[in-house]
Every structure is written in structure tokens, then in C-alpha cells.
Amino acid sequence: MAVCVAVITKENYPLYISNIPAANELKFHYTVHTSLDVVEEKLSAVGKTASDLRELYLGLLYPTEDYKVYGYVANTKVKFVIVIDSSNTSFRDNEIRSMFRKLHTAYTDVMCNPFYTPGDPIRSKTFDNVISSMMMQVC
Amino acid sequence: MEGLTLNEAEQKCYAELFAFCDVESTKKLAAGSKVAELFRAAQLSNDMLMQITDLCGAKRLGYFGRSQFYIALKLIAVSQAGLPVRLESIGTVHELPRFTIAPGEAESWHTAQGHYEHEGPQGPYGSAAVLPPPPGRVYNKKLHNAQELPSTGPATTQRILEKQMSSKSPPQEQTSPAVSPQHTPPGSPTGWHPATERGQPVSWKPFTERSMGSGEGNWPVGSATPQQDSWVSFTNTRGVAAVDDGPAPPAHHVTVQSDQTPARVATKDAQQRMSYSDDPWRITEEQRDYYINQFKTIQHDLAGLIPGSAAKEFFTKSKLPIMELSHIWELSDFDQDGALTLDEFCAAFHLVVARKNGYDLPERLPETLIPKLIDIDDDKDVSEKHSDATFASSPVETVANKSPSISQTWVDLQQNSEQWETFSDRSSSCQTLTRFDTNITPADPETAIVHPVAIRMTPSKIHLRDMDLAASGQDASPPAKLPCAPSAADEATAPAKFAAKNNDGFHSSESAHSSDVDPSSNDSSRPRSFSGTSGEDSKRMAPPPPPPPRPHQTHSRSSSLDLNKAFAAAQQGQTLSGASAPPPAVPPRPHPHVLQSSKSVDGADLTPGPVNPLLSSQPPPEQPNFADFTHFAALQFVPEAEREAAAKEARVAAQNDKHIMKVEGQVDERNTSSKKPSRHRMKSEEESRAEAPAPEEHFKKTGGIAALGNTQPALQRSAGKEKKAIQASIRKNKETNTVLARLNTELNQQLKVNFSFLFTFSSPLAMFSSLPLSAF
């Protein structure tokens, strides 16, 4: 089962993409990229958008035969996308939410690092560890 | 001599070194003491030094011209970088050569004192304490702290050099307190212009190391001291802008630099002893003092925080790659707040120093570096003037010992944070449960009231009483312990307590209260809840079968006077307008009608024998009951309905003092009567009846005590007991289910009996009908 986690800025370029297994990375890049359209669509639909967590969590963006894509938007329009293999037992909504929350927390930690300039690709080992643990747990 | 390009930092450094060595200002550095000292400070083997001198051409020339000197310095840097010393490799290395205080002394230290447990870790460790980036700063500090004033020439020159370097060195430039050259090269430096290039002026780490070592270790060698002092002075002179080529006054103590660039190496380093522990991640006292000093340069308040931007600026001077600095930040910012406390700063500083000395950054923060979540040593970390002595390594260790536990808790907290997050989700679900609970109990005080009374003696009484109270709007009597009674009482009190409720709201509040009361009452809640549910069921099922006989309305449980009153009132209500009294709180429901009809039926139902005639009279009044109960029947889980049915039945039963049998008989009657009106109704009625008697029976079984207990606790509702209400309702439902199932079987049997009767009757009728015909 493959899981991919991606962090995309509001300019819609990726800050971080990682997937397990490490193969077919390009495929996940493509998937994440296509999911951006759905994200934008949901964002525009929200409109007034409060900072409500529930609104931040976009839920299942779209499913394919192989996997499901979940989306989450932060207040700063930074998007998190998680791709989960469909073969994996469907996750409860709460689990997905908790994953996004973890992702958001890890992202804020990276942002807090004064040596990190926003907009740079995320190269933090700590962040990588968090992501890996999350994906392994999912696996 | 191939062209040598030096970056700006290198150029400065080398120039200063050259000036430092060029004591005589002859532009020629003889292979004198200073040069030799300087080269030795590079911590290179003598052979290497010889090779370097050969390569640079000094040997050829017999002296170190500027170019030779620069080349030599470059070669030193090359060798220190680990590259083979070749002229060609000069261009590859652009780090500044590192010099320690007294190479000779250092060596002697090594040999003389097996103090260093390991050369490697300690060395770098020592230098770790002395953060290279702006070594000059360090040296300044060191000098400042050093009490001794360099009086020796080398020290002086060093100081001069330090001053020069400090003055010239930009924040990020490494000023190398070059060891005074032993000799000055005779030749004049051939002119060559070091081009400025990008450069990573390598911190004078070795130098700092030496200083560190010397500082920390004993000062066995006298010369070491002055040199250390020189180092110290060098750092102090850092703040001095003037470049003094001449011998600087030994006693020239540069003011502690107030440079924007934090001095990495504090003078304390010089004083620091080589009392390193094996753990390279352990901060020694001297190091800690130095870190504290550095902290103060940024943040005067030791208990304050260094904002991320300032810390970034500070640590960027270390010339470490941003990635590594980022990693160090991630490690050291324990609380992830974007700012560094003193402990975090020390940890970060320590990591930077370690990294500078070649240690790879750990993946996780070493335990010894974990900042104390509880500031135990804050008092100790006073100003540098005091803390030095007080801040022994032991506190650090103790703190470190504590920090792991704290860090563990912190880690646990972090790990639990996710749990907390999930918990929030759960909490929402809990709320839904509570809401659900309230929904489950649609106000139906009547049922609750009636329910127990139907079956149980005491409960019935209480129920009647409660119902009367509720009807009259009086405050519920002290909660009777009858299962239904309490709910009824609660309901009665509820309306009294909660105003502004319409009938429906009234009922809902009552029911809610009853439901809440159920969970609120610990022990009694259970029976009460059961009774309530069963009562509701009974109500639902039985379009009020004649209330089961109310054995004793003066149930012992309800010792309160109110009970008696209620009993009397209930009786009166039952006898008179029973229907109206019992279900006072249930205006919308046609319970009153049902009750009335039930009451009317009660009289008839007193004798279970003649079912048919009674049934005939019953059907019409029962129909509305049926309708009502069918409505309730639909709400299987609605305890109120059950309660209502139960209450009504209870009333009836109380009046008739009939027990389950009566109820059943009533149910049978109703069943038969219901057959006429509609079959579908029958089912619902049967169900309701089954439910009604079932709960009633159940109530009897549960006992009046429960009801009494219920009424009493009813008044003690608490939001926190909603869960109990839920559980109680669940239990009720289960019990009612069982009871209903049994009732169903019984009813079916009765149905069969009735059918048999019909058949028996029908056959003779047919015969009779046929007779006349035949007769005729």
C-alpha cells in the first residue's frame, strides 16, 4: 500500500512530496497536481471560509481505483494532500483528520525554524521523520 | 609560486597574521619564534610544517615573505582540511587555517597530562565550547576573563593581532589570534594580491580548542598562560577598532565586545578546564558559562527568550550550512516556540560547536542537552561574574539527569498531543451522545409516573401521586422511590422549576429531567430508569389498559407525606377524572382520553372474566388510545411513551389493585377489541400492551424502592449524569424488550384462545342461522 504526503504552497508549487514506497514518485506528483484542482474547487466553494478546522479539512477529494486523495488546507492557504492506497482498509474520517493535524503541526514546526525561509522546499529531517512515521503507521 | 587567491576573509586573516608575526615590521617573517609558534598552533606535525615551509618557498628564501607566509597559511589550512599538502591544492581550500593557542604547549599538555581522555572529542569539544565563528570574540572574552595580562611578546603580538583582527574582522570573519611567529621571515613578501573570493573563514577552531584546552586544563606551562591571556585579550580587543601594529599593552583589556555578532568563544573558555566528560554532548561548566555570556549579549534577561531571528543571526555567524543550522534549531528548540530559552540556547550553541568540530549532528537531542523544562539552575546561571564558579558541572549533570525525565515527559506529552487531538474528536461524539440521550427521552412525564404504579404497589402509588402532582403543577413530592414515581416527580418538579415551557416543552423538560434524573440517581436511577422505560413501553402498548391495581398507594418507600398526598390525589384523580389527573403533564397527548377510557374500562376490567362485553365498551375509547399508543409504539426507544403507558396502566392498576394478570387481561381485552377497529392497530396495540404490561411487570419486579429512589434523585439532576441516563435507557430498553417478548407470547396465546372462542361462537351461530332457514 502506498501513501503519499504532499505539502503545497498557496502558489501551488510543492514544498514537500514524499511517498512510500519510493517508487513511482512521478505518479504521485501527478496525482497531487491533479488534486490541486479539486482543492481549489472546494476552496472557492467554501467562500467566506472561517478558520474552522472542519472547513480546513477538505475530506476525500476524489477516489480512483487505486487510491484516495484527501485534502486539507491551512489558514495560510498551504495545502496538504494525503494519498492513501485504496487497498488499505478505509480509514475513518477521524484518522485522516488526525493525520492532517499531525501534518499541520509538523509544518508549523518547520515554519518556526528561523533558518527556514518560507517557500523553500522543506528539508527538515525532523519533518521527514514525522512524515515517515505517519506513513508507516498508515501502512 | 603559483598565484594564490584568497578570499576576503582569508586575506584579512592572513594579513593580520602576517602583521602579527611581523613584529619587526620588516615585511619579512623570519622563521622566528612567532612564525614557528603560529605554525605549531596549527596543530600540525612538524614534518607537515616542514613540508609546508618547503612548499611555500620560505625554506628556499630562508624567510617568510608575505606570499610565502600566506601560502604557508593556506597550506596549513589545506592540511587541516585533510587534503594532501600540495601547492595545487591551495586553491581548493579556502578555509582559514586554525591555530590553537600554544601548539607546543598543547603538545606538551597532551604528553604531560594525560588529561585528555580523548584527543579527538575533547579537542573538538573544547573548541566546541569555544565557538569558532567569530573566534575573535571568543578570544576577547577569554582575555577578558583571564586575569593575567599577557606580558610576553607573543602575547602582546597576539593581542595586537587580536585587536587588529577584531577590528577588522567582520562579524563573520575569523580573526586568528595567530601565535606569534617564532621568527620573522627575512625576505620581503613578493607582492601578490590575494583576490577576494568567497570564503568560509574557518573559525580558528584549533586555536580556540587550544585556548579551551589551555583554559580548562591546568596552566602547567607558564607560557600557556600568557598565550591564553593573549587569547583572551585578543578576544577582548575584538571590540577595539584601532588596529595597532605595535605591541599592544599587555594590560590592554578590550572591553567585552558589544559586537553585534555574539562572541562565540568566551574568555571563560580560556579558563575552562579540560574537564570534559566522555560525553561530547555534555556541557561543561566553562562552556555553559560561555554560553550564558553569549546569551546575554543577545538577551540580557537570562530567563527571557531569544527570538528566532536573533538566534538565526547569531548562529549564522558560525558559518555552518543553513541546513545544519536548521537541524540544530529543530533539535534545540525543545518547546517549538520559535524562540530559545537559555537552556535551548546553550544546547544549540553546544551543537554548533560540536558540529564545527566535526561531530555529526545527532538525530535527536542528546539527553544532556535537553533543556530543563523546570528551571532549576536559573539561580545558578547568574551573571558571568558569579556563575562561573558556582556553575559546576555537577549541576549540569543533575540537571541533565532530571532533564531526561522531563524530556521524557515532554516526549510523552508530544506523543500524547495526538491523543489529545483525537480526544477532541471523541468529545464531540460524546456530546452527540448526550444530545441523543435527551432526544431519547421526549418529555413524557406521565408515562414515567404511571408506569410503576401499574404494576407495583408502591410504584403505582407513587406514580399516581406524581401524576397528580404533575397535573396540579405542584412541586413534585419528595421523589418517591418508585421507578415511575421519581420520573413523574421529576417531571412535576421540572415544570415547576423550569418555566417558560409550553406543553410540549413542559413535557420535554420533564422527560429530559426524568431522563437526567435517571442517570443522576446512582442506585435508584437504575430501577427508576427501568421503570421509566418499562412504563413508557407499557403506556405505548396499552392504550391505557385499565391501570393495574394500585396495591398500596401508601407505599412504604415513599415515606414522605407527599407520597400519601399523591396517593390520595392519585386515587381521587383516578376515580374522578383520573384521566385528566394522571396525565396532566402530557397535554398534547391524548393520554387523558386514553386514561379516561382506560378508567372507564378499568371498572369494567376489574373482572377479567367477561372479556367480550367489556371489550365492546372499550374499543371506542381505546381507539384514541390506540392511536396514541401506536404513535408511541413507533417510538420504541421512547421511554416517555412507555412511561406514559405505564403510568396510565399503573394508575388503572392501582385503582383496581390488579396485578399483572389484570394487565394482561386488559391487554387481552384490548387486543380483542382492537381487532374490530383495525388489524394494524392491534399490532401496535398489542405491542404497546405487551410493552405496557411488560414494563409494569418489570416495575413490579424492580420494586417500588427503585421508584422511590428515582423520584428523590430526580431532583438531583446533573448534566454529568446524562451518560447514566443513556445507560439506564439502554437497560430499560433491553428489559422492555424482554418483557415485550414475553408479553407477545402471552398475547398470542390469548389470541388463540379468543379465536377459539370465536370459532366456537361462530359455529353455533351458523347453526342457529341455519336452523331458521331449515325450520322454515
Side-chain angles (χ1 to χ4, degrees), chain B residues 343-403:
Chain B
D343 293 329
E344 293 174 343
F345 176 83
C346 292
F349 210 136
H350 200 71
L351 288 171
V352 172
V353 171
R355 185 73 186 105
K356 278 288 205 177
N357 287 279
Y359 281 90
D360 290 332
L361 293 176
E363 288 296 323
R364 313 184 82 194
L365 194 64
E367 285 187 351
T368 55
L369 291 180
I370 292 174
K372 316 181 283 287
L373 295 183
I374 301 175
D375 292 335
I376 303 173
D377 291 337
D378 280 347
D379 298 337
K380 296 180 184 176
D381 296 347
V382 192
S383 64
E384 51 193 53
K385 296 159 188 176
H386 315 295
S387 60
D388 299 349
T390 59
F391 199 94
S393 59
S394 55
V396 177
E397 295 173 359
T398 56
V399 168
N401 295 334
K402 292 175 191 173
S403 59

Side-chain angles (χ1 to χ4, degrees), chain A:
Chain A
M1 116 154 199
V3 171
C4 167
V5 173
V7 178
I8 301 131
T9 63
K10 64 177 173 183
E11 289 86 9
N12 288 336
Y13 67 85
L15 288 180
Y16 181 87
I17 294 183
S18 84
N19 53 336
I20 289 179
N24 287 341
E25 188 169 353
L26 207 57
K27 177 182 113 180
F28 289 110
H29 279 247
Y30 167 74
T31 305
V32 169
H33 188 76
T34 54
S35 69
L36 287 178
D37 285 337
V38 186
V39 171
E40 289 290 336
E41 180 186 345
K42 287 190 186 274
L43 277 184
S44 61
V46 171
K48 56 216 162 94
T49 185
S51 299
D52 186 3
L53 181 64
R54 303 196 180 277
E55 294 184 15
L56 298 180
Y57 173 68
L58 304 175
L60 181 65
L61 297 178
Y62 70 91
T64 70
E65 70 273 10
D66 291 336
Y67 43 77
K68 304 176 187 164
V69 183
Y70 295 87
Y72 175 97
V73 179
N75 293 337
T76 56
K77 296 288 186 263
V78 171
K79 307 166 185 63
F80 302 98
V81 176
I82 292 182
V83 181
I84 293 182
D85 199 2
S86 293
S87 63
N88 188 22
T89 57
S90 65
F91 285 93
R92 289 202 324 252
D93 194 56
N94 272 349
E95 292 179 7
I96 306 290
R97 282 177 195 270
S98 69
M99 282 174 63
F100 275 120
R101 221 171 291 113
K102 255 194 292 184
L103 196 51
H104 199 169
T105 309
Y107 175 76
T108 53
D109 291 342
V110 169
M111 282 293 146
C112 282
N113 191 332
F115 298 100
Y116 170 79
T117 57
D120 291 348
I122 296 176
R123 296 262 180 271
S124 153
K125 271 190 252 179
T126 311
F127 187 77
D128 291 339
N129 291 339
V130 169
I131 300 298
S132 310
S133 69
M134 204 164 65
M135 291 202 281
M136 297 310 293
Q137 166 213 346
V138 168
C139 290

Side-chain angles (χ1 to χ4, degrees), chain B residues 154-204:
Chain B
T156 304
T157 54
Q158 286 181 2
R159 189 174 301 106
I160 295 169
L161 197 60
E162 290 173 355
K163 280 195 291 183
Q164 294 174 357
M165 296 170 82
S166 62
S167 60
K168 290 181 185 175
S169 63
Q172 300 186 353
E173 181 175 352
Q174 307 279 340
T175 59
S176 61
V179 177
S180 59
Q182 301 289 340
H183 54 278
T184 58
S188 59
T190 58
W192 56 272
H193 310 282
T196 63
E197 291 182 6
R198 88 287 178 226
Q200 299 279 343
V202 169
S203 58
W204 293 81

